[in-house]
Amino acid sequence: MNTTRTLCFVIAALSSYAALVYRLSQVRRSRRDSAYRMLVVTLLFQCLTFTMGAVAMGADSLLGVGNLAILLMHLSAVAFCVCAQIILLGWAATVAEEAARKTRYWVITGIALDALLVVLFLVADGTGRPATDFNTGSGQPLVLTYLLAFIVSQAVPCVTIFRQCGPYARMTDNVSVRQALQTLSVAAVILFLYCTARTVNILTAAAGIDIGAWQLASNVFSALGIVTLSLGLTISSWGASATRLLDWARSYRSYRALYPLWRDLYESSPDIALEPPGSSVSDLNYRLHRRVVEIRDGWRDLRPYIDRAGGADEVYRGTNEESRQAFAEAARIRQALRAKSTGTVPDDNGDAGDFEDRDTVSFTAEVAWLTKVASAYSRIRTAS
């Protein structure tokens, strides 16, 4: 179990340091921004929390003081939660005076909680106890009080952050802030599950109940929650770039998927290409638009050779309606290409029709539809 706990602490610490390093790389252009400085402070406390957690898993003392790493982990965790709440206030508050008032409230609350934890730790003789006592409490009333006070200090911010993120996300027009708030909302839920699992561990141990490997649930929730939180605290700066990258990847996948259909249509009707075919994707958006237009033009050139009585083979008819239609269109295109190569014009041809009268509502929908047809066409071409 200790190996799993240590691994969870390491994962949480690495995600925290990754977020901190990423944010520090922006210091030149953002150092005068108070929100940026608060975010860096938050990430520093986050890093300290899980660094001390990893240290506590490997040693019983720090600087010669027993369980000092555990105390520092808990104190920095409280400060980290308070700072995260302050960041949320800065993102979402519409009145500066109200944000300042609530910020003072959270700072005072955080200081009071840290002071309470220090007092309870010393009164419970935290420096002289085995480190395992601070995992479950071991039934000692003072240690139980200390641990439960710490869990409450973590659970309350989780609840407040979750309650605030939803309404604030709906209020803001900034897409990156909305994504950050939604991610923080998910992180708050996961970290509240950590608090719940940790409470179960403590109370079952106090009652003498052994829940076995289920004790690790709190560590897993903690690591997962911190990774999600790290993403939420940084997504406002990289979210737009990631979205553009995903859009580019989807466009490139569609561009490649359309190639077999486009190639055969181009070979049949070379004049559909506005420019000579090339392999460059330097202007992918333009090239994808051209490929869609050229497929449609090539398809129109085939209308006199499309046999409207033809369709997909039986082997392709066990799917949903849209897939069946895509296979039927692909089969007609394949048949029409053969008919054009031999000069055969069917009696019931598609010269008067237009792609089964399918009218897509947007370019994205058009690409999705043609990709289905191209995929079906590739399968039919391979099978024939």
Side-chain angles (χ1 to χ4, degrees), residues 72 85 106 130 176 201 216 246 330 347 376:
L72 292 177
Q85 181 69 55
W106 278 104
S176 61
N201 288 350
L216 296 175
L246 290 175
D347 293 332

Side-chain angles (χ1 to χ4, degrees), residues 247-248 251-252 255 280-293 363-364 367:
D247 288 342
W248 187 93
S251 295
Y252 182 71
Y255 183 76
S280 173
V281 290
S282 56
D283 190 355
L284 182 61
N285 189 53
Y286 167 76
R287 290 186 175 275
L288 181 59
H289 274 77
R290 282 304 315 163
R291 180 152 290 183
V292 168
V293 170
F363 178 73
T364 301
V367 171

Side-chain angles (χ1 to χ4, degrees), residues 117 146 160-161 182 190 192 227 344 361:
L117 289 178
Y146 170 88
T160 57
I161 289 173
Q182 290 170 342
I190 298 173
F192 185 81
V227 170
T344 304
V361 297

Side-chain angles (χ1 to χ4, degrees), residues 41-175:
V41 171
T42 303
L43 291 172
L44 284 170
F45 279 123
Q46 184 176 323
C47 291
L48 179 60
T49 298
F50 293 97
T51 300
M52 289 298 100
V55 170
M57 292 300 299
D60 293 335
S61 65
L62 178 66
L63 302 177
V65 180
N67 298 322
L68 178 59
I70 293 176
L71 177 62
L72 292 177
M73 174 181 66
H74 291 162
L75 296 180
S76 57
V78 172
F80 153 64
C81 286
V82 169
C83 290
Q85 181 69 55
I86 293 173
I87 288 175
L88 180 59
L89 290 173
W91 280 351
T94 56
V95 180
E97 291 77 8
E98 181 184 3
R101 179 179 58 81
K102 290 183 177 180
T103 296
R104 286 193 297 270
Y105 164 79
W106 278 104
V107 170
I108 293 171
T109 301
I111 293 173
L113 285 171
D114 273 346
L116 175 63
L117 289 178
V118 170
V119 170
L120 288 173
F121 183 85
L122 294 176
V123 171
D125 188 26
T127 59
R129 290 185 174 278
T132 53
D133 282 7
F134 290 93
N135 183 37
T136 61
S138 297
Q140 302 297 320
L142 289 174
V143 179
L144 283 172
T145 303
Y146 170 88
L147 291 175
L148 291 175
F150 167 70
I151 291 172
V152 169
S153 75
Q154 305 296 288
V156 171
C158 289
V159 173
T160 57
I161 289 173
F162 176 76
R163 290 181 61 188
Q164 292 169 339
C165 280
Y168 289 159
R170 290 189 292 270
M171 289 166 53
T172 183
D173 295 327
N174 188 313
V175 176

